[in-house]
Every structure is written in structure tokens, then in C-alpha cells.
Amino acid sequence: MTSAPRQVELRFNPVEIDRKWQERWEKDNLYRVEDRDSRPKWYDLTMYPYPSGDLHIGHWYAMAPSDCHARFRRMQGYNVLHPIGFDAFGLPAENAAISRGIHPYSWTMSNIENMRAQLRSIGAIYDWDREVICCLPEYYHWNQWFFLKFLEKGLAYRAKAPVVWCPSCQTVLANEQVLNGSCERCDAIVTRRDLEQWFLKITDYADELLDFGRLVEWPEKILMMQRNWVGRSEGVEISFDISHNGLEEKDIRTFTTRIDTIFGVTFLVLAPEHPLVPQLTTDGQREQVEDYVNQARQTSEIDRLSTDKEKTGVPLGSYAVNRLNGERIPIYTADYVLTTYGTGAVMGVPAHDERDYDFARKYGLSVRTVIAPVEWDGKEPTEAFLGSGFMTNSGKYDGMTDDEGVAAISADVERNSWGSRTTSYRLRDWLISRQRYWGTPIPIIYCATCGAVPVPEEDLPVLLPEDAEFKPTGESPLADHKAFLNTICPRCQGPGRRETDTMDTFIDSSWYFLRYISPGFDKGAYDPELLKQWLPVDQYTGGAEHAVMHLLYARFFIKAMRDMGMLDFDEPFLRLFNQGVILGSDHEKMSKSRGNVVNPDDVVGVMGADAVRCFLMFIGPWDQGGPWSDVGINGVARWLNRVWALVERNPDDLASGETDPQVVRDTLRVLHQTVRKCHGDLDRFKFNTAIAALMELVNHLSKVWAEASVDPENWRECIEKFLLMLAPIAPHISEELWERTGHPYSVHSQGFPEWDESLAADETITLVVQVNGKVRDRIEVPAGIDEPTAHQLGLYFANVAP
RNA sequence: GCCGAAGUGGCGGAAUGGUAGACGCGCCGGUCUCAAAAACCGGUGGGAGCAAUCCCGUGUCGGUUCGAAUCCGACCUUCGGCACCA
């Protein structure tokens, strides 16, 4: 992309002004955040970026408006913490190491170096002394410490879990490395493999994560997504009798939310991975079942979860007994049932469940209606009936509504000890093991006699060895590194072997906002006194793509820490706001292949940081995102140019004109309305309308100047307040103009202007009086008029009898 | 399939029950200039009219209301998220 054409001839040198003030602010430590401060604190946090190497215009879109908000809070008299750091562990660094032979550390740190400079060009109030980089030992030390604490508390455990495995590369793949069931590097068909891995018990907090009561302001949309993600459903765990098989296990446990349909069960389905599958398979079926189970292993989870795919399954050859009616029902295995949800077994009720219906039709299983729709004709249904109705074919429960049936059958099931009412969650425990080099080593030592032994706290951090080999074989560099691998068991002093898996990077982002409080603190993850002072985060902003995982993990972390007595609040982020996505000027998502990527450095180097900041905020509502426009940015550049010219005028030139009291009143009204509008809009992230209001004020002042109908004092007041309102939006140019108008440094240390309601609120509106759609009259009424008064006035003016 | 958000000039958008189109882009006309750019001034939803003015107009169709872009119902389209959850 070539640099954007500048079609505006500026009266000032924006690049020079950016440089001048960025240097001055840094020299004076203007934005250093002091912990000791009498002002109330405000923690305005933006999601920290991954150091990909280049600051994208999308980063600007996330950071410039959030900086504006932080600056606004600062001018409102808060001691604002608005920090920045880098989410520096992760896959891309490792890929760069493999493909280009650069060590992940050097790759990451040089990217950070580059991005720091680019971030500075935004002109944000970042206090760089608080920068957090989570790939450094001084940070990941505490990841390891948290892990040990979770382990102590019983919130971390080890279990087998499947990973995606490429048989040709001999390596574990991330989901994003699998394309249509094949490895992205070698095209081999991927399979799944069970590995011992570490989990954190987020499911212990499932119910509390659904309680959003302590959040002050989160988008309803995000709450909905989290609710669905946790996926709480209440039902009954009901067991089916298999004691006639002579196995140790006498029951198949299934979970259902529709226990009222228990008399409609015509088959059972076990997930292919279900432990009872081999035992319940008869010899005649064994070959077929084993083939099917192997095939299900090969099938990627995504394919297995696809609704388009036709249902498949295989009968095991054995049967179970439905204890409520004594019926024998066949047992199948089918991949539409997942081990990870409920009990991994499902009672098949084809008449009242779509998947079961499809399955039953395909395999010729009977379909028995047990909930009768209101106008049921008694015929076999042609699709699953999911609605409400009356129970039928259900013995003594016939005639009840489905709700009554749920209550009655649940009670009977519990009385007979056939099962119990339970709650099931879609949420799974958090798998934190990654078979990668570039992450936090999990501080565990395996010993032949002692088992998995935690590394003692005083031995932390377990350092990532710097001299790992990155070979394209797919071998984990840690598993290969003898010096790292071989160690001594801390318990018995015998030979030990280190855990070679590293942690998920979501661990880093689950507490990085605590580290900003005391980034250099070496006696713990954070200074507890300062934590009390700064946390929780008052306002969090970032992309909606982190709606579930990151935000749920961080909420879980804080709740677990609270229960371990480390802190005393319940939620990390009180308010949340999600910005939208910045699109290319072709209204499409920016991508290198489309060639619509905007490089912010090019634009800033010509237009200056303030023009880019203003344009990004002016495009439209921040949460909606919008298209970049090389042409549109000229609009705000032109406006800043007009602002410059306006502010440079000598107010004393107005002394010769004749002051018009009406114009003075109007001008003050516009001024105070603008202040009020900016206050409300900047508070609620409505930057586009705040800027529009400032533009209107400028337009008004230009007109007033031409008429010379206000006195110099009015003019000075307007300009001063205008510059203060502009300061959080365009910090460089407003600082420059603040100085040029003879004000003491710095505009950013001033308070945001206040408005006088009496000067702002003399608006009237035109009320259109209509009778049956015909306009009878138009009347001027006060804007704050209430409904009944308006109605009365209307009747009076329209000359209509009430 | 389910859930959510949104549909307004040539374009980005404003107005959340009170004169639709603020603000900006673009475009048109003018001033300045040898000329152009920039800057400044004016105009700019569609249609009719010399004009004052009138008619139509916020995805589509209905409804509520004195009055609807805004509230309600159905449908269409686009975008985002989730998905065999038993």
C-alpha cells in the first residue's frame, strides 16, 4: 500500500508537533502513574497485543479511542492507570523459529522493540515503566507459582485428553493448523491421540461464572455468549439396567433434560469413546464396532460436530432394560454422542428429539410418541415433536402435561434410586497443557517413586532453556533437551524428569492486569497493598473475539484467587466495551491477499497522529467498526487545519466590532451544550458524535468571527474550553495550541470543562400538533416537556375539544 | 439450524416517540489565480413548479399513536457468534 495522498495543505507541521510533544511528555514523565495520589483511581485497561511485529491499523483502532477515554477520565480528576504490555508467548514465534531459524525469544523481543516505537506514535498516556512482557522469566515465574497454588487447592489435575496428532510430522497440532482434516504442513490426514495433560477445574465455578450480578456494565451480547458457553442445563441422570450382562458395571448412566419422554426410549447410544463400549459389544458385532470406533477417532471433532453429516452408528449387539417399563432396548454407539458432555451416553427418544429421530429413521428403530401434541391424530410422526403436550403411552403418567410428567417421574426415579436430578454443563475443564516450547514450563517433576511432584516454590522459575533446537521434525524442543529434562526429584532426591509441556497462553492473560500494578515486584505476582488500591479494573476494552475464552478464564482466575485468600473482589473487570472491526476502504475485512491493508505508519508520517486518531473515532460508533477511507481522512485533517486557523486568530481584533447580546447568548449556549454533549459522549465511547459536536462548535465560532459580534473575552472562553475538549481526542495539536494561546503547560493536566445547565438548557422544540394524521398547528415548547402536558397543549392549540 | 446485531442520501453516519438526513466525505456552483491545487463562500434525498410552495421518502407488508427511522407483529437481506449439549 502506498502512503495516503494528502490533499490538504496544512498550516502546521503535524509530524514536527507530534515529535515535539511526545519528547516533552516523556522528558517530564507527564504520564507517569503514581501509586500515592489523593485523586480517586480509575483503571482503564485495553487488551494487550500479541507482538506480531507490526502495528496494524486495527491496533490503532483499539488503542487510540481507549486512550481518548483514559485521557478524558484523567481530565475528570481521576488518577488513571492505562497500561500497555505484550502477550508475548505463542505459536507464531515458534513457527518463525522453525521456518526462519530465528530463536523465538529474539523474534519476539525485536518485534516488541519495533512495536513500542509504533505504539509511541499514537501519543497515548502509557506509562512505559509499567510495561509487562509475559515471555520473560520475571513474569512467567508467577504463572508457575499460580499453577502450584491451584494444584495445592485441588484446582489442577492431570488426566488423559485427546490432542490432534499428525502421524507424518509426529507432532501435536493446534486446531488452526488443521485444514479440512489434514495437516497444514504435510497434508497427512490427522488423527487424535490421548495424552496425559493438565487441567484447571473451571467447572467448579460454572454456577458462579453465570452470575453476572457484580458486573457494572457489560454488553448483553457478551453475557449471552458466556451463558451459552457455560451451557447449564437441569435434568435427570437416569440409569438403564445392564446387570444381565454379567459385567462389573450394572448400569448405563444417561443424562436427559426430558425425563418426561422416558417411555419413548427405543434405543441407547454410547459415545464411541465410552468405556462400556468394548464390554457391551457381542462377538458377532465386534469387528464392525471396532472399525467404527477407529473411524470416529480419525474424524476431527469439527467434522463430528457438523450437522450436515449424516448420522452414523453401529449396534453393539446387546441390550439394556428401561426400568420404568421393563422394556429391552438395543444399545448403539454413534459419534453424534460426545464423551465430553453429560455421561457420554444418551437415551434415544426419536419421537421427541431431532437427532434421535434422524438416527432411528436411518436404522429402522421404532418411534413412539409419548408427548401428544394438542391436535394429535395418533399417527406416527414425520418429524420429532419438540413442543408441549400431554403424556401418552406412559403408563400411570398418561394425561399429565409434560411439565407435570418431569416432576412426577423425577420424583419416582429418585425414590427408586434409579437416578437423580442433576445439572449438566457444556463448559469443560480448562486444558492448559501445550506440547510446545514457547510457553511457560509447567513446574512438575516426574519421579519413578514419588509420581508427579510439584517444583518447590523457592526453585521457581523453571527457566526455558535458551539453547533449544528448533528442527522441523515436530519433536518438542523441550522433550529433546537433556539438560532441561533430567533433574532430581525434590521429594526423594532420586532421578526425576521434568514436565515438557508448557502452559496455554490464556494463563498469561488471566492475570496480566494484576502485574501492571507492580511490574517489578519480585516477592510475589503483585504487591498486595497496591492491588487493593487499583483493582478491580474499572473499564476493560477490546475485541469481541475474546468474549468467552479469555474473559471466562480471567473471571475464573480471580474467583479462584479470592477463594485462596489472595484478594477480596469477585470480578476482574467491572465494565466491558467491545470495539468493532476496522475494514478496508473496499468495506471488506483487511487482508494482505485483498491488498486493502492500511499501514498506520504511512498515514501518521504524512497527516500526523491526531488526524488518524480523529478519523478512527469519527468513522462511526466505536462498537460497530467501519471502513477506512484514504479520502475521508482528509475531512478531519481539514478540520484540524481550520481549528488551527481559528485558534491562531487574535481575539483583540474583535474589540472593534459591535457586540450583539443575542449572539453572545447563542454562542454561550452552543458552547455549554457542546461541553455537555462531549461529557456524555466521551463517557460512553460515542466518539463520533463528540467530534461532530466539536465541529459544530467550530462552525459556529467561524461564523461569529466573521460577524465580529462577540467580545474578546467570550471568544477567549470559547477557545479555551474548546481546546480542553479537544485535548483527549487530539492530544498533540491541542497541546501546541494551548501553548500558543499563552496557557501554562500542560493542557493534559487541566480539568475537563464543566457546563452550566442554565446556559445550556434553554432549548425549545417544535411540537407538531396533528389530528388524525393532519397537521393542525406547530408550537414551540420547552424540550423537557412531559407527555400529558404536551397532550394538553396540543388539544388547546389544535382547537379540539378534549 | 439456533442466538444476537443491523438495514436511513452517491458514501461513512446523525436523530431511540415530536420539522428525517446533524457532522463529515464526495459532487455542483462561486471567490482567489495566467492556470491549477489549496483555502474560503454557497448549494446538494427524489419528484413537480419561474416562485412561494406541494407531493413522495428511513429494507418489505401490516398494526399501535394526534404523531413512528424510533414501539409491536410477520417477512426479506446483510453481518457477527455458537452449534449433534441429550
Side-chain angles (χ1 to χ4, degrees):
Chain A
M1 184 96 204
T2 54
S3 63
R6 189 173 80 195
Q7 295 163 2
V8 182
E9 241 171 61
L10 296 175
R11 295 167 219 268
F12 54 95
N13 182 341
V15 176
E16 185 50 36
I17 290 172
D18 287 356
R19 193 194 53 77
K20 168 179 168 186
W21 291 109
Q22 284 171 16
E23 278 173 11
R24 175 83 188 271
W25 296 331
E26 191 171 346
K27 183 172 79 63
D28 298 342
N29 283 314
L30 187 66
Y31 302 128
R32 169 171 295 163
V33 183
E34 299 293 348
D35 296 318
R36 290 174 163 275
D37 197 294
S38 56
R39 294 171 296 174
K41 71 95 181 180
W42 185 271
Y43 192 171
D44 229 352
L45 179 70
T46 293
M47 291 180 186
Y48 67 165
Y50 181 80
S52 54
D54 251 314
L55 203 71
H56 184 259
I57 193 76
H59 290 118
W60 268 77
Y61 195 59
M63 288 160 185
S66 56
D67 174 63
C68 175
H69 187 261
R71 285 175 173 279
F72 172 63
R73 283 278 179 271
R74 208 166 163 271
M75 291 181 78
Q76 280 185 308
Y78 290 93
N79 184 27
V80 172
L81 177 61
H82 182 57
I84 191 78
F86 296 95
D87 182 15
F89 269 138
L91 207 48
E94 203 155 345
N95 286 340
I98 294 167
S99 63
R100 290 190 264 157
I102 312 168
H103 193 279
Y105 177 85
S106 341
W107 185 84
T108 304
M109 294 312 278
S110 82
N111 283 350
I112 288 175
E113 192 62 37
N114 191 34
M115 282 176 84
R116 267 195 206 115
Q118 291 175 305
L119 279 164
R120 280 171 206 270
S121 75
I122 297 175
I125 58 169
Y126 302 134
D127 176 351
W128 288 95
D129 291 344
R130 289 175 181 266
E131 180 192 52
V132 164
I133 299 175
C134 61
C135 67
L136 300 178
E138 63 199 54
Y139 187 85
Y140 70 69
H141 179 154
W142 306 109
N143 281 345
Q144 296 173 340
W145 181 80
F146 278 118
F147 176 83
L148 296 179
K149 293 295 157 195
F150 276 70
L151 192 64
E152 242 168 63
K153 180 78 182 170
L155 286 171
Y157 66 96
R158 212 159 152 250
K160 275 209 171 0
V163 292
V164 185
W165 179 257
C166 173
S168 141
C169 300
Q170 291 282 299
T171 189
V172 175
L173 300 180
N175 286 335
E176 63 175 28
Q177 293 176 304
V178 181
L179 304 169
N180 299 321
S182 299
C183 172
E184 67 169 1
R185 241 177 272 156
C186 71
D187 270 349
I189 305 279
V190 302
T191 178
R192 291 187 308 143
R193 205 181 212 212
D194 279 331
L195 294 180
E196 282 285 336
Q197 306 193 71
W198 288 96
F199 289 84
L200 296 188
K201 268 194 188 165
I202 189 172
T203 52
D204 276 9
Y205 288 83
D207 278 322
E208 208 196 328
L209 290 169
L210 286 172
D211 177 6
F212 304 117
R214 294 220 156 77
L215 303 174
V216 180
E217 214 175 280
W218 275 43
E220 192 50 49
K221 181 179 152 166
I222 303 293
L223 300 185
M224 182 95 57
M225 286 162 77
Q226 296 207 346
R227 222 174 270 132
N228 293 340
W229 190 264
V230 175
R232 178 192 157 100
S233 51
E234 291 179 5
V236 172
E237 196 177 288
I238 171 94
S239 64
F240 288 78
D241 185 8
I242 51 168
S243 54
H244 54 274
N245 285 290
L247 300 171
E248 193 182 327
E249 188 63 57
K250 308 290 182 221
D251 294 301
I252 294 179
R253 299 177 306 117
T254 68
F255 175 77
T256 181
T257 55
R258 292 295 304 272
I259 193 66
D260 54 316
T261 63
I262 185 77
F263 285 81
V265 176
T266 56
F267 59 97
L268 289 188
V269 188
L270 304 185
E273 301 87 346
H274 196 286
L276 285 173
V277 167
Q279 303 176 45
L280 289 170
T281 302
T282 58
D283 290 342
Q285 287 301 104
R286 190 157 307 278
E287 197 177 327
Q288 217 192 330
V289 169
E290 281 175 1
D291 282 354
Y292 185 79
V293 170
N294 283 334
Q295 198 194 315
R297 277 213 143 227
Q298 298 249 326
T299 317
S300 77
E301 195 158 351
I302 292 161
D303 283 344
R304 230 175 107 168
L305 298 183
S306 160
T307 359
D308 306 333
K309 210 184 112 226
E310 203 180 337
K311 303 262 172 303
T312 57
V314 176
L316 301 184
S318 54
Y319 67 90
V321 174
N322 181 350
R323 292 195 168 102
L324 276 97
N325 57 10
E327 275 180 31
R328 291 176 167 203
I329 47 176
I331 306 170
Y332 280 72
T333 183
D335 67 3
Y336 78 90
V337 174
L338 307 176
T339 25
T340 51
Y341 182 77
T343 60
V346 169
M347 58 182 219
V349 186
H352 304 291
D353 182 281
E354 285 175 31
R355 294 151 310 206
D356 296 344
Y357 183 87
D358 292 347
F359 191 77
R361 284 292 177 225
K362 178 157 179 198
Y363 293 104
L365 297 157
S366 58
V367 177
R368 184 195 303 149
T369 295
V370 291
I371 303 294
V374 177
E375 285 167 26
W376 188 42
D377 53 12
K379 287 190 199 139
E380 258 217 3
T382 51
E383 58 178 8
F385 172 68
L386 307 176
S388 296
F390 291 95
M391 298 193 48
T392 185
N393 292 325
S394 298
K396 66 172 181 174
Y397 307 101
D398 280 2
M400 291 182 179
T401 65
D402 47 312
D403 285 343
E404 291 163 352
V406 168
I409 299 177
S410 302
D412 289 347
V413 164
E414 287 185 341
R415 194 171 313 123
N416 289 300
S417 303
W418 294 334
S420 56
R421 277 175 264 225
T422 55
T423 306
S424 210
Y425 299 88
R426 202 193 83 107
L427 183 72
R428 304 175 198 170
D429 275 335
W430 177 11
L431 194 165
I432 61 158
S433 297
R434 295 292 181 272
Q435 295 71 38
R436 304 279 169 194
Y437 167 77
W438 194 232
T440 305
I442 295 175
I444 290 287
I445 294 168
Y446 298 100
C447 165
T449 38
C450 309
V453 181
V455 172
E457 255 181 62
E458 59 273 18
D459 293 349
L460 297 184
V462 176
L463 292 171
L464 267 181
E466 286 167 27
D467 56 348
E469 290 263 355
F470 295 91
K471 294 176 292 193
T473 59
E475 275 287 301
S476 161
L478 288 184
D480 219 22
H481 194 284
K482 297 246 161 17
F484 176 83
L485 191 64
N486 298 319
T487 182
I488 291 165
C489 169
R491 207 162 283 167
C492 71
Q493 311 305 315
R497 187 175 48 82
R498 281 194 195 280
E499 167 68 65
T500 56
D501 284 355
T502 52
M503 296 184 200
D504 180 8
T505 56
F506 278 124
I507 297 278
D508 304 321
S509 55
S510 290
W511 70 278
Y512 76 107
F513 47 92
L514 306 180
R515 191 68 187 164
Y516 285 135
I517 301 311
S518 48
F521 195 67
D522 57 4
K523 296 183 202 65
Y526 50 84
D527 180 328
E529 283 311 305
L530 294 177
L531 187 86
K532 267 190 203 132
Q533 183 185 326
W534 283 106
L535 268 290
V537 171
D538 295 286
Q539 177 73 61
Y540 199 21
T541 58
E545 67 272 18
H546 291 116
V548 275
M549 309 242 270
H550 160 55
L551 292 173
L552 275 176
Y553 293 146
R555 291 181 64 212
F556 158 60
F557 235 76
I558 291 304
K559 290 173 195 301
M561 287 176 70
R562 175 202 59 199
D563 292 347
M564 290 188 269
M566 299 176 186
L567 41 76
D568 59 4
F569 50 93
D570 305 285
E571 293 286 352
F573 317 118
L574 298 179
R575 295 173 194 77
L576 178 72
F577 191 94
N578 298 112
Q579 79 268 1
V581 178
I582 186 102
L583 304 171
S585 41
D586 54 1
H587 293 58
E588 299 285 343
K589 226 175 214 153
M590 282 193 196
S591 73
K592 276 182 190 155
S593 57
R594 282 203 184 87
N596 60 355
V597 175
V598 174
N599 177 1
D601 291 356
D602 294 344
V603 191
V604 173
V606 180
M607 300 288 208
D610 289 342
V612 179
R613 291 173 63 110
C614 285
F615 182 63
L616 290 174
M617 290 190 253
F618 187 63
I619 272 177
W622 196 33
D623 54 341
Q624 280 175 37
W628 174 264
S629 167
D630 292 327
V631 190
I633 194 171
N634 289 304
V636 287
R638 199 172 291 150
W639 177 62
L640 290 174
N641 207 20
R642 278 204 302 277
V643 164
W644 183 278
L646 194 75
V647 176
E648 286 281 272
R649 286 171 190 164
N650 180 359
D652 295 329
D653 293 354
L654 288 167
S656 53
E658 197 164 319
T659 303
D660 179 338
Q662 182 60 46
V663 175
V664 171
R665 265 200 309 279
D666 286 348
T667 302
L668 286 177
R669 195 186 66 239
V670 171
L671 177 69
H672 285 261
Q673 283 175 356
T674 307
V675 175
R676 185 174 61 187
K677 175 89 178 141
C678 281
H679 243 272
D681 284 356
L682 294 182
D683 190 53
R684 295 192 311 275
F685 302 100
K686 295 177 75 180
F687 306 106
N688 58 327
T689 46
I691 293 174
L694 290 176
M695 286 173 167
E696 284 183 86
L697 176 61
V698 167
N699 291 347
H700 181 87
L701 292 177
S702 303
K703 206 156 77 191
V704 165
W705 179 276
E707 293 158 1
S709 42
V710 296
D711 58 59
E713 273 327 294
N714 299 132
W715 183 263
R716 284 197 177 90
E717 185 192 351
C718 288
I719 294 297
E720 181 171 305
K721 291 200 164 132
F722 169 77
L723 286 177
L724 291 169
M725 289 189 277
L726 185 66
I729 299 168
H732 308 86
I733 208 180
S734 50
E735 185 80 289
E736 177 73 17
L737 288 171
W738 186 253
E739 181 185 61
R740 294 171 78 98
T741 45
H743 292 88
Y745 175 82
S746 155
V747 71
H748 302 301
S749 303
Q750 311 298 315
F752 202 82
E754 296 293 333
W755 73 94
D756 180 334
E757 199 62 61
S758 64
L759 288 173
D762 60 344
E763 294 172 88
T764 60
I765 53 163
T766 307
L767 187 65
V768 182
V769 183
Q770 295 182 65
V771 180
N772 292 328
K774 291 242 160 90
V775 178
R776 286 285 182 91
D777 205 348
R778 290 171 189 210
I779 51 175
E780 291 289 316
V781 297
I785 192 165
D786 58 63
E787 182 90 36
T789 316
H791 207 87
Q792 286 304 312
L793 273 172
L795 290 175
Y796 178 78
F797 279 91
N799 238 346
V800 185

